[in-house]
Amino acid sequence: MDVKQHEINFRYDEITKDILRTLEKPGLPYWIMIALIMGGLAFGIVAWMYQIKEGMGVAGLNHPVGWGVYITDFVFWVGIGHAGTLISAILFLFRAKWRNAIFRSAEAMTIFAVLTAALFPLIHVGRVWVAWWLIPYPNQRELWVNFRSPLLWDVFAINTYFSVSAIFFCIGLIPDVAAIRDKARGMRKTIYTFMSLGFDNSNHQWRHYMAGYGFFAALATPLVLSVHSVVSWDFAVSIVPGWHSTLFAPYFVAGAVFSGMAMVMTILIPFRSIFKLEKYLTTWHFDMMSRLVMLTGSIVTYSYLTEYFIAWYSDDPFEMFIFYERAFGKYQLPFMLMFGCNCVIPLLLWFRGIRTNLKALWVITIFVNIGMWFERFNIIVSSLAQEFDPYSWGWYVPSWVEMGITLGSFCWFFMWFFLFIKFFPSLALTEMKEIADPPHSGKGHSAHGKEAA
Amino acid sequence: MANKINRRDFLGLMGLGGVGAATLSCDLSPTDYEEGFDEKWKPWVDPIAGEVPYVPRYYATTTSESNGVGLWIKTINGRAVKTEGNPEHPINRGSLSARQQSVMQGLYSPDRIRKPLYKGKPITRARAAEILTEQMNANKGKNISALTGPIGGSLADLWTTFVSQMGSGSLVRYEAFHSGEWAGASNKVFGQNAVPYINLAGTDMILSLGARFLDDWGDGNAHERNWAKMKELDHGKRGRHVQVEPRTSVTGAAADSLLLCKPGTETVLALALLKELAAGSSALTAEEQSTVAGLVASASLDDAAKTCGIKVAKLRTLIDELKHAKSPVVLPAETTVLGHQSQAHHIAVLLINKCLGGIGKHFNYSAAKPAKDVISHRDIVDLVTQLNNGAVDVLILRGGPNPAYSLSPKLKFKDAVGKAGFKIAFADTMDETVALADLVIPNLHDLEAWGEVNPYAGLDMLQQPVMRPRWDMMQAEDHLIQILAQAAPGIVAQENYREYLKASWFGRFASGSADQEAFWRYSLKKGGRFEMAESGENLPLSGDLGGDVFANVQPMGSKGTKLIVLSSARHGDGQAAPRGWMQELPDPMNGVTWDSFLEVNRTYGTSAGWQIGDEVSFSVNGVEVTLPVMLSDTCPDGVVYFETGMGREGIDERYCRGVNAFSMFTGEVNDGGRFAFEPANVTLNKTGGRTKLATLHIPGLGDQLNTPLTGTDKTDSRFTRDLFQTVGISELSGHGDGHHGGGHHGPLNKKVAFPEHQDKNFYYDRSEDPLVVGRSETFYDPYKWEMAIDLDKCTGCGSCVTACYAENNLPVVGKDQVAKGREMAWLRINRYLSYTEEEDHTEVKAYFLPMMCQQCGNAPCESVCPSLATYHNKEGLNAMVYNRCVGTRYCANNCSYKVRRFNWFTFDWDEDAKWYTNPDVTVRHKGVMEKCTFCVHRFRDARNKAKDEGREIRDGEVQTACQQVCATGAISFGNYMDESSEVHHLAHDQRAYRALDSHLYTKPGVSYLKRTVFDKGHA
């Protein structure tokens, strides 16, 4: 898909000025937000410390429900971390020009979401002080890890994904950081100088840069698919009814993109209006993202239906029971939230009018986020609660500690995002210029624009 | 201080083994009590010559509270750590019930009395001795009465001597539950004033009219064993157990058929049965027949059937089966449902057994409890009267029985005790009765003291100290001897009770023996004298059967909902209530822990708008009671059930919970010598209050298990699981064509090929299995530990659960955590219900399945552990390395049997409780997963021993803790690779199946043997 020229309503020379305006000294609202975020984060940290001191019993977890909100949060955040790399790498390779305006913030979001997700394996283990035993390292006691365990695959998947995404993010930043470097002073200048790796906009450098960026995009692309597949195997490889399914990898990847795109929109819609970037982030961009949400939402819905079909087709009493119970049993509420938010509400996106109505879109994307959180909750908790032995069925309700840590995780995520807004351009300067009308030679502004780039 | 016990000596002596060392324990001089009081125990640091640290020593002993069973107390480094059964004992043969095991928690109870108390304030030991002497001197010759537990033998002699020498008082023995009603009935029927030893050995049919002989009635350990033997299949045949009772108990659930009767009609039924069985009975002479016929002339089976609510056709079949059985036994109803008809009922039951030829063999009067040891509740009522008259100058209470708790409040026992001139208590543990005393002198616990228990003629058990006393104190009987030495010199020749006991023992049993000392040691080592007569005489009806013995027999109460109160197998008469193991052991039928509850029929409760835990109030015998309801499908409509043992006061506050059932008694004594209680009509009113009942499962949610049961096709497929399986006896090979008349017993998984359980190569084909590459047929050589559990023999009593707590240091987590599903039991008893639609009602059956780690050959938990903290070892165990566990809980999620337990907290242990932890097993802390590993520490020991002797471990050499206590022998354990082992044999039994294996291919190491059921048409 190519850029529709009528959507480009900004001038080449405004780009640098408008976008770098987001990096200016923050105002009072920003500080209030930061204060709220830090407060929530502090609460989460206190809750976690309390849990470490007392034991996992302060969470609502029990026998048989050994995983609850923490793993839900983990999968949720890994899922959120999918949109960024998808947009920056896969759409880059497909040359979808609409990605240019959004990929930077989406990519930042990815990294912060993975940073958040990576906390949860630590939070949920009983003995966090020995969590490093999950890393295979040579030692004289010849203790080794179990490479058959999906949890170990997780460790590798998350680490790889995080490293590659972070490097890809930094590489994408190079030309923009170079531009800020030229305007910054003091400490900032030193940091930006380091991060720009001596980029000076020469043709030579641009040629290598673009090639390198392409390679990284190609490297990151399979990871987008692999990381959530691996996460899904935490469940699929087990024998728990409701988890044990070969459908899980594609189903989880689609769900991850679904929730990730929704989160990108949830964040960008207010961002766009606060920083007055309507020129750059147009309804056209949101329309495109909505279409992706529609697509992945449909895949997710199809997966739900497939799960039910397979449960029926399997003729396995345990499998049939668990799917029946999800819809009609004690855990009906999370199921209804999941189904309503992920399958029914996104149907509204079939209307172009709604896709271009940003307020409606914002509400819908929040519903999708809620729905996707409950999807994971539903999968994890309802399956564990009613496994094979009816005598040991259980009932799980999250405790304040789990809710506090979940709140803290959101604050942790937004802390990074708020810092990012003020330290890096949230829209890629260079890529915006790629799609803007190049300045006509001889006109006064062109020289200025060139210089800025 | 002159006699100060140096800590080093104290600990050193503590560690001394052998009887000699144990005898030292009562040679402490009673001076300077303050010293050594609050001495903290320290682990054994200094070595003692000849003692190997951590090598256990066992002492054979018994306690007054454990129903007259023999104990082996395991001591390590000089302290008692575990209660085990004495394998030689004729009644329990090594088995123990859950409550009997909890003696250990009594020994280390936080309620133990450490200092003498005077008017509630601690005083020194010297001061206590002074007051005691003062009081005795001042009151000598007056009425000094004593109230003790059911003591016999030399203990009874000493106390009787003491009371008679000191003045005009009397010795009153009291026990809340006793079997005294047999004595009166036997006197009437056979002219024998004695309690027969009821022996079920060799029977092929048991009809119980309500006696819960598999949970808390009589010599339960022996009954369970003999019942299990009766149920063993021999050429496709086995004995039958029919239970008639008002409410499904554990015994009823285990019965082959359960006939629910209306409460209070048991005696009517007994008379009708007697009439039918006596007619033409070959065991009666013509004269006897006419006597009996005269007694039951007015009884009618049809009327009785109507009264009881049991179909007359059923009863006729039952009578027919009893008549054709080779050696049937009929057991009576529980006394608390008999009210004032107790004696009549027991007479009827004795006569029925006479008609069936069971007197002598099953009702053994040669091994009877003699009349002098029989307790009657009239004695304590008399004592209360005397106290109220101000006739008692000094009342001496010997701790143990707790009448202030277990007497009806109508008797006003507390007020009466207040009227005694002076009250002295010798007690090891604080309770409601001890709290009434002016002077409390700490006594030794039974495991620290000498004593004797004499339940039956020929069964005299010695109680010896198994460790040095916890605190520096003297046993009550030594005090008595000291007082007697001053007050009546020369009466007791011995200086202390140990010598007194020894002399008495010699006098009774070794008068002609050459080497008395050797005999003494032999008796101590054995645990006493086990010489009960195998069987007695078939006595003629030579008693006084007047025409009016059955005069007062009639159905009790009017129509409507009736309350029945029975003794609790967990808490008994309340003595076991302050013990964590008993509180955390779920009620078998309802799964409730830590609370008393009122069992109410679910349909009835639901229609009244009640939910589980809603409080209802009702008034019974003038007492207003409020209780939370537990809705139950097994409890029939028209009956509400409550059990004894809760509602203690004035003890450790964690255990002060629930309602005291004894408060509902009227205080009247029936003609059987017991406090009468009969099913009482109650009207329940919802109060609006709620108590959250902590249950081990979600009531009503997991109940609907429908296993493929014989004769049932109406199963709700959503709940169909093959965890618990039954098989019709006629379908077992050698009987019938295998499939007629029965339901579907195969695996439920219709489409997937069913792995062949009986395959000889069950464990040899692993090389083909891609999941277990490398485990060739020799992987398990020479051992693969496996277990087999016979569901036909499991009663669901829960003694294995408690054994596991004791053996493996499982923490007691408390009500809140149990309510959250965080109990730590490695072994639990799953209770499943099955519903069968009959013509006019739904029959609800309860089944019990002990579930512990199945040690899967293809374990789902192993592959998912990221840190390899759990792995499959060379002996077929699913080993668990606590140290390596990070706590992801993935293994527990993936465990299909839900037997892994996570340490949600570092659970607290009482300060003293740490002393009975098993040093062979670690105490886990927070964040670590744990589970059953078949008592792996036990066979590590056995393997070391076998290795030293250059052999392999023999079959039966190692027992798991759960197997050891199981009275019915439902659990077998051994080496599967040894083709001659019992477990190998059972794993290939035609009843064997492995839970969920057909679905999941987990290859569990536990074989369950299907419960066998009779075809329809039986009673």
Side-chain angles (χ1 to χ4, degrees):
Chain A
M1 186 181 299
D2 207 349
V3 180
K4 294 192 177 158
Q5 286 307 313
H6 69 268
E7 296 287 356
I8 307 295
N9 44 17
F10 49 87
R11 295 208 316 278
Y12 194 86
D13 56 339
E14 293 172 335
I15 295 174
T16 305
K17 194 170 58 132
D18 282 350
I19 294 176
L20 290 192
R21 202 176 59 223
T22 60
L23 302 187
E24 281 167 8
K25 221 176 169 52
L28 186 62
Y30 181 86
W31 289 113
I32 290 171
M33 285 306 291
I34 285 283
L36 288 176
I37 285 168
M38 293 317 243
L41 181 59
F43 183 71
I45 291 171
V46 168
W48 188 13
M49 285 165 68
Y50 174 67
Q51 177 182 291
I52 292 171
K53 180 178 172 289
E54 293 294 320
M56 290 307 291
V58 299
L61 299 168
N62 59 35
H63 185 264
V65 186
W67 288 354
V69 163
Y70 296 146
I71 299 295
T72 303
D73 286 344
F74 168 70
V75 183
F76 175 78
W77 284 113
V78 175
I80 297 296
H82 266 62
T85 314
L86 174 98
I87 292 168
S88 58
I90 298 182
L91 295 187
F92 174 80
L93 295 180
F94 282 102
R95 299 289 184 262
K97 294 285 181 188
W98 60 270
R99 76 176 262 288
N100 292 20
I102 56 168
F103 88 92
R104 171 66 46 73
S105 47
E107 213 175 311
M109 194 192 78
T110 288
I111 289 168
F112 305 146
V114 176
L115 267 183
T116 314
L119 291 177
F120 280 98
L122 299 178
I123 291 169
H124 105 285
V125 296
R127 299 203 293 169
V128 64
W129 49 95
V130 294
W132 48 278
W133 288 354
L134 301 189
I135 300 164
Y137 62 97
N139 58 81
Q140 82 270 31
R141 288 183 296 168
E142 298 187 355
L143 291 173
W144 206 230
V145 291
N146 181 8
F147 285 104
R148 291 192 300 165
S149 169
L151 288 187
L152 200 73
W153 310 343
D154 263 6
V155 172
F156 294 118
I158 300 290
N159 278 329
T160 313
Y161 186 63
F162 178 72
S163 326
V164 172
S165 302
I167 294 170
F168 192 45
F169 177 65
C170 289
I171 287 175
L173 271 174
I174 288 175
D176 286 6
V177 170
I180 314 168
R181 172 196 63 196
D182 299 341
K183 290 179 187 291
R185 276 191 296 275
M187 176 85 153
R188 281 190 158 211
K189 189 170 182 94
T190 320
I191 295 169
Y192 288 129
T193 306
F194 175 76
M195 286 192 69
S196 60
L197 301 174
F199 193 79
D200 65 1
N201 272 318
S202 66
N203 255 352
H204 174 76
Q205 278 187 341
W206 268 110
R207 195 160 55 83
H208 286 292
Y209 173 77
M210 288 313 288
Y213 193 79
F215 281 128
F216 265 102
L219 180 62
T221 299
L223 288 178
V224 176
L225 303 176
S226 76
V227 65
H228 223 57
S229 301
V230 172
V231 168
S232 79
W233 292 335
D234 281 351
F235 307 105
V237 168
S238 79
I239 58 164
V240 178
W243 286 10
H244 183 67
S245 162
T246 48
L247 176 69
F248 265 37
Y251 162 31
F252 268 49
V253 171
V257 174
F258 181 51
S259 68
M261 291 310 294
M263 187 60 118
V264 171
M265 285 200 276
T266 314
I267 290 174
L268 283 187
I269 291 170
F271 175 77
R272 162 186 190 268
S273 86
I274 290 168
F275 289 101
K276 312 258 178 310
L277 295 172
E278 287 88 347
K279 269 188 287 189
Y280 303 96
L281 294 167
T282 62
T283 49
W284 170 67
H285 290 100
F286 289 100
D287 186 13
M288 290 294 125
M289 285 192 273
S290 303
R291 291 180 192 196
L292 202 52
V293 168
M294 272 165 60
L295 172 70
T296 49
S298 306
I299 298 175
V300 166
T301 307
Y302 173 75
S303 302
Y304 294 163
L305 298 177
T306 309
E307 271 192 313
Y308 271 86
F309 171 75
I310 294 294
W312 168 77
Y313 186 70
S314 72
D315 201 22
D316 178 85
F318 308 105
E319 197 79 11
M320 284 160 86
F321 173 77
I322 206 76
F323 281 96
Y324 178 86
E325 279 293 300
R326 275 186 192 169
F328 304 107
K330 293 238 169 194
Y331 287 100
Q332 196 176 28
L333 181 71
F335 177 82
M336 287 303 170
L337 281 168
M338 168 190 106
F339 199 83
C341 295
N342 293 346
C343 307
V344 181
I345 292 179
L347 293 180
L348 292 170
L349 297 175
W350 287 87
F351 299 101
R352 187 182 173 83
I354 290 177
R355 288 206 302 272
T356 52
N357 177 345
L358 296 193
K359 281 186 187 127
L361 210 48
W362 194 64
V363 172
I364 289 171
T365 57
I366 286 178
F367 272 116
V368 170
N369 283 313
I370 293 172
M372 284 307 291
W373 193 89
F374 276 102
E375 178 202 287
R376 279 67 176 253
F377 184 88
N378 186 49
I379 291 171
I380 293 167
V381 174
S382 72
S383 301
L384 288 177
Q386 298 183 328
E387 269 191 52
F388 299 96
D389 176 10
Y391 194 78
S392 44
W393 285 347
W395 175 247
Y396 166 80
V397 181
S399 74
W400 68 267
V401 173
E402 285 164 299
M403 298 327 288
I405 289 178
T406 304
L407 172 74
S409 75
F410 275 88
C411 292
W412 164 262
F413 171 80
F414 280 110
M415 176 193 83
W416 287 109
F417 200 81
F418 270 64
L419 291 176
F420 159 76
I421 289 172
K422 284 295 161 192
F423 285 99
F424 297 108
S426 311
L427 276 65
L429 296 173
T430 45
E431 301 216 12
M432 292 311 289
K433 287 176 185 171
E434 279 176 23
I435 53 172
D437 289 332
H440 300 292
S441 61
K443 292 274 172 71
H445 289 297
S446 64
H448 180 72
K450 201 80 175 165
E451 194 186 301
Chain B
M1 304 268 170
N3 282 326
K4 177 176 176 183
I5 297 180
N6 174 305
R7 173 178 298 161
R8 194 159 282 196
D9 290 352
F10 177 72
L11 295 166
L13 287 168
M14 225 177 76
L16 272 179
V19 175
T23 59
L24 282 174
S25 59
C26 21
D27 293 339
L28 296 170
S29 46
T31 54
D32 208 350
Y33 204 53
E34 285 304 52
E35 301 302 324
F37 234 137
D38 295 316
E39 182 123 33
K40 280 223 166 195
W41 279 12
K42 296 284 185 298
W44 193 19
V45 218
D46 296 330
I48 291 173
E51 274 295 301
V52 188
Y54 294 98
V55 171
R57 276 179 181 277
Y58 292 84
Y59 293 101
T61 184
T62 186
T63 64
S64 55
E65 63 165 293
S66 43
N67 291 12
V69 299
L71 304 178
W72 269 13
I73 303 294
K74 181 181 179 185
T75 67
I76 292 181
N77 297 358
R79 59 186 158 84
V81 296
K82 189 163 183 285
T83 328
E84 294 184 356
N86 183 346
E88 289 182 43
H89 194 278
I91 288 181
N92 63 319
R93 293 212 190 285
S95 73
L96 286 179
S97 75
R99 192 164 88 219
Q100 286 154 0
Q101 294 172 60
S102 74
V103 170
M104 200 49 64
Q105 287 196 323
L107 172 63
Y108 295 100
S109 160
D111 290 320
R112 285 290 300 276
I113 303 168
R114 306 169 183 215
K115 297 189 179 196
L117 303 170
Y118 184 64
K119 311 272 187 201
K121 295 211 174 60
I123 53 170
T124 65
R125 185 169 178 172
R127 177 76 190 119
E130 241 171 65
I131 300 172
L132 183 62
T133 321
E134 242 169 60
Q135 287 294 335
M136 287 298 142
N137 290 340
N139 290 301
K140 180 153 194 295
K142 295 188 191 166
N143 185 327
I144 300 181
S145 288
L147 174 59
T148 71
I151 53 176
S154 64
L155 270 177
D157 291 349
L158 179 62
W159 280 87
T160 316
T161 313
F162 177 80
V163 170
S164 59
Q165 289 295 322
M166 293 306 292
S168 57
S170 52
L171 169 67
V172 176
R173 288 175 298 172
Y174 169 74
E175 190 181 17
F177 299 115
H178 62 77
S179 47
E181 62 272 354
W182 285 112
S186 302
N187 200 19
K188 289 262 182 195
V189 180
F190 304 117
Q192 296 267 342
N193 190 7
V195 177
Y197 174 60
I198 298 172
N199 186 358
L200 301 182
T203 181
D204 62 340
M205 172 144 190
I206 301 172
L207 166 67
S208 168
L209 296 175
R212 298 165 307 149
F213 60 97
L214 300 177
D215 34 343
D216 193 33
W217 187 86
D219 305 307
N221 308 66
H223 297 330
E224 285 187 65
R225 183 177 65 248
N226 292 321
W227 170 84
K229 200 156 278 171
M230 178 195 82
K231 289 191 85 177
E232 263 167 24
L233 278 165
D234 180 21
H235 296 92
K237 284 195 173 128
R238 69 163 172 81
R240 282 173 51 72
H241 165 203
V242 179
Q243 182 87 1
V244 175
E245 59 182 359
R247 165 252 174 196
T248 316
S249 68
V250 162
T251 312
D256 292 310
S257 61
L258 169 65
L259 307 175
L260 290 166
C261 72
K262 297 218 173 82
T265 60
E266 288 89 346
T267 317
V268 177
L269 177 63
L271 293 190
L273 290 178
L274 176 59
K275 184 176 186 178
E276 299 287 328
L277 291 166
S281 162
S282 58
L284 298 181
T285 61
E287 192 189 339
E288 285 172 339
Q289 276 199 23
S290 69
T291 315
V292 174
L295 290 173
V296 291
S298 60
S300 138
L301 191 65
D302 293 292
D303 291 350
K306 210 173 283 168
T307 316
C308 301
I310 301 173
K311 289 202 185 81
V312 70
K314 278 261 180 204
L315 291 178
R316 291 210 185 281
T317 326
L318 176 63
I319 288 163
D320 201 43
E321 282 175 5
L322 281 171
K323 278 181 174 164
H324 286 91
K326 283 198 200 81
S327 187
V329 183
V330 177
L331 299 176
E334 295 273 340
T335 305
T336 47
V337 300
L338 294 174
H340 287 287
Q341 300 175 15
S342 179
Q343 180 147 316
H345 185 89
H346 285 83
I347 289 171
V349 168
L350 283 175
L351 287 172
I352 290 174
N353 283 291
K354 175 70 187 163
C355 300
L356 296 169
I359 304 299
K361 184 175 180 192
H362 299 304
F363 287 74
N364 182 350
Y365 284 93
S366 300
K369 185 197 270 290
K372 69 176 174 63
D373 285 340
V374 174
I375 289 174
S376 168
H377 284 159
R378 281 187 208 98
D379 297 346
I380 195 156
V381 175
D382 292 346
L383 177 69
V384 170
T385 319
Q386 276 193 40
L387 283 164
N388 281 329
N389 295 340
V392 179
D393 297 302
V394 177
L395 178 65
I396 301 180
L397 303 158
R398 188 183 191 265
N402 187 3
Y405 163 80
S406 61
L407 287 185
S408 163
K410 295 212 174 59
L411 288 173
K412 299 206 170 30
F413 178 77
K414 288 186 187 180
D415 297 346
V417 169
K419 289 174 188 154
F422 194 77
K423 288 90 67 186
I424 302 167
F426 293 102
D428 56 346
T429 310
M430 189 47 90
D431 61 30
E432 290 88 333
T433 313
V434 175
L436 302 173
D438 299 313
L439 176 66
V440 178
I441 298 178
N443 194 8
L444 297 177
H445 185 270
D446 281 352
L447 296 182
E448 301 164 333
W450 291 97
E452 207 182 335
V453 176
N454 323 70
Y456 295 107
L459 182 60
D460 299 277
M461 291 177 275
L462 279 172
Q463 173 195 313
Q464 63 168 324
V466 301
M467 68 173 194
R468 195 155 179 94
R470 177 71 178 87
W471 296 282
D472 184 8
M473 53 178 71
M474 198 162 81
Q475 103 174 72
E477 285 70 26
D478 288 351
H479 283 286
L480 298 192
I481 289 173
Q482 282 189 0
I483 295 167
L484 278 175
Q486 283 189 358
I491 296 295
V492 174
Q494 292 78 17
E495 277 180 9
N496 57 33
Y497 176 66
R498 177 170 67 103
E499 295 303 323
Y500 184 88
L501 168 64
K502 215 168 151 180
S504 165
W505 192 262
F506 292 155
R508 279 179 287 159
F509 310 122
S511 42
S513 169
D515 189 349
Q516 292 195 324
E517 199 57 35
F519 173 69
W520 173 245
R521 286 184 165 273
Y522 167 78
S523 304
L524 276 180
K525 198 176 166 198
K526 192 168 178 186
R529 182 175 155 270
F530 306 147
E531 287 168 17
M532 289 168 78
E534 281 287 307
S535 60
E537 271 179 81
N538 186 3
L539 300 167
L541 298 185
S542 54
D544 165 32
L545 285 169
D548 62 344
V549 288
F550 297 136
N552 69 345
V553 173
Q554 58 194 5
M556 291 173 209
S558 49
K559 289 198 168 169
T561 305
K562 287 202 184 66
L563 168 77
I564 55 170
V565 174
L566 298 178
S567 66
S568 160
R570 297 176 296 158
H571 308 128
D573 60 2
Q575 199 173 2
R579 294 176 186 168
W581 292 339
M582 291 301 96
Q583 291 289 345
E584 203 134 308
L585 180 68
D587 165 61
M589 295 308 293
N590 296 294
V592 180
T593 61
W594 288 98
D595 266 309
S596 52
F597 60 91
L598 188 71
E599 190 185 73
V600 176
N601 176 272
R602 183 190 298 281
T603 319
Y604 172 72
T606 314
S607 62
W610 304 335
Q611 289 183 326
I612 289 167
D614 279 350
E615 285 172 6
V616 295
S617 69
F618 58 91
S619 139
V620 54
N621 296 329
V623 184
E624 192 70 23
V625 184
T626 305
L627 279 169
V629 294
M630 181 70 206
L631 304 181
S632 160
D633 280 332
T634 57
C635 184
D637 198 1
V639 175
V640 294
Y641 164 75
F642 186 54
E643 61 184 26
T644 62
M646 295 290 270
R648 294 284 308 271
E649 286 163 6
I651 50 168
D652 190 306
E653 61 180 15
R654 287 170 297 174
Y655 305 112
C656 293
R657 34 176 74 247
V659 171
N660 182 0
F662 294 108
S663 68
M664 304 172 191
F665 281 49
T666 57
E668 292 166 35
V669 182
N670 65 20
D671 48 9
R674 283 180 65 159
F675 286 115
F677 186 86
E678 59 179 50
N681 279 62
V682 288
T683 316
L684 308 180
N685 298 305
K686 191 173 171 181
T687 63
R690 256 189 85 75
T691 302
K692 187 173 167 61
L693 291 176
T695 51
L696 242 61
H697 65 302
I698 298 182
L701 186 59
D703 287 346
Q704 304 92 327
L705 174 118
N706 279 300
T707 57
L709 299 168
T710 298
T712 6
D713 293 323
K714 293 170 191 160
T715 54
D716 180 345
S717 68
R718 292 194 298 115
F719 296 104
T720 304
R721 275 123 217 257
D722 67 357
L723 280 152
F724 191 102
Q725 297 185 16
T726 58
V727 62
I729 288 178
S730 58
E731 288 169 69
L732 294 168
S733 67
H735 243 270
D737 60 4
H739 280 290
H740 75 98
H744 167 64
H745 305 296
L748 290 156
N749 199 335
K750 287 165 259 175
K751 309 239 160 50
V752 181
F754 176 40
E756 190 53 68
H757 291 136
Q758 319 309 339
D759 184 359
K760 189 167 161 291
N761 297 321
F762 184 58
Y763 282 103
Y764 292 72
D765 62 354
R766 308 183 67 99
S767 50
E768 300 290 318
D769 190 336
L771 285 174
V772 283
V773 173
R775 276 182 208 160
S776 63
E777 65 214 39
T778 54
F779 183 81
Y780 293 120
D781 204 34
Y783 303 119
K784 177 174 192 322
W785 301 111
E786 284 209 358
M787 194 174 264
I789 298 174
D790 191 341
L791 298 175
D792 230 6
K793 293 182 180 173
C794 177
T795 65
C797 68
S799 70
C800 48
V801 176
T802 303
C804 187
Y805 268 75
E807 178 76 15
N808 293 303
N809 302 337
L810 304 187
V812 171
V813 300
K815 181 183 168 185
D816 292 347
Q817 296 301 319
V818 174
K820 285 181 180 156
R822 293 178 182 159
E823 72 283 349
M824 296 301 288
W826 289 358
L827 164 57
R828 65 171 187 269
I829 309 281
N830 285 353
R831 188 221 51 193
Y832 300 121
L833 300 180
S834 94
Y835 301 77
T836 321
E837 294 297 330
E838 297 288 326
E839 300 134 43
D840 51 351
H841 69 288
T842 307
E843 193 178 317
V844 185
K845 282 196 158 175
Y847 294 108
F848 296 100
L849 177 91
M851 179 59 81
M852 74 291 282
C853 176
Q854 305 283 303
Q855 319 291 350
C856 303
N858 234 352
C861 57
E862 286 164 7
S863 63
V864 299
C865 173
S867 60
L868 282 174
T870 188
Y871 68 101
H872 205 70
N873 81 4
K874 292 276 286 176
E875 300 192 352
L877 293 181
N878 185 239
M880 181 75 214
V881 189
Y882 303 129
N883 285 350
R884 180 66 174 164
C885 178
V886 177
T888 64
R889 302 183 294 289
Y890 198 173
C891 52
N893 288 346
N894 213 26
C895 172
S896 341
Y897 308 92
K898 287 284 163 272
V899 289
R900 287 178 160 265
R901 298 285 172 178
F902 186 69
N903 283 274
W904 301 100
F905 300 100
T906 301
F907 291 105
D908 286 337
W909 290 74
D910 285 351
E911 180 58 33
D912 281 355
K914 289 172 183 160
W915 292 104
Y916 61 77
T917 53
N918 183 354
D920 293 342
V921 181
T922 52
V923 176
R924 286 76 57 187
H925 68 103
K926 70 182 173 202
V928 174
M929 191 59 74
E930 60 182 62
K931 65 166 195 77
C932 160
T933 31
F934 282 169
C935 290
V936 63
H937 51 282
R938 288 192 173 199
F939 41 89
R940 289 203 81 88
D941 282 351
R943 187 175 34 225
N944 291 344
K945 196 168 160 230
K947 195 181 158 199
D948 289 348
E949 294 170 14
R951 58 174 172 86
E952 285 179 9
I953 300 175
R954 292 188 206 101
D955 191 36
E957 194 175 343
V958 189
Q959 282 189 312
T960 61
C962 48
Q963 174 193 16
Q964 190 181 7
V965 296
C966 182
T968 58
I971 302 176
S972 309
F973 172 78
N975 178 12
Y976 181 87
M977 301 306 282
D978 173 4
E979 293 199 0
S980 62
S981 70
E982 186 190 10
V983 78
H984 187 274
H985 173 72
L986 290 175
H988 294 85
D989 191 279
Q990 53 178 340
R991 287 193 289 140
Y993 74 98
R994 295 178 191 249
L996 292 176
D997 191 42
S998 57
H999 291 285
L1000 301 172
Y1001 205 54
T1002 45
K1003 299 199 166 191
V1006 177
S1007 311
Y1008 289 97
L1009 304 188
K1010 292 177 190 175
R1011 180 163 162 173
T1012 54
V1013 290
F1014 283 93
D1015 291 341
K1016 291 200 165 189
H1018 283 276

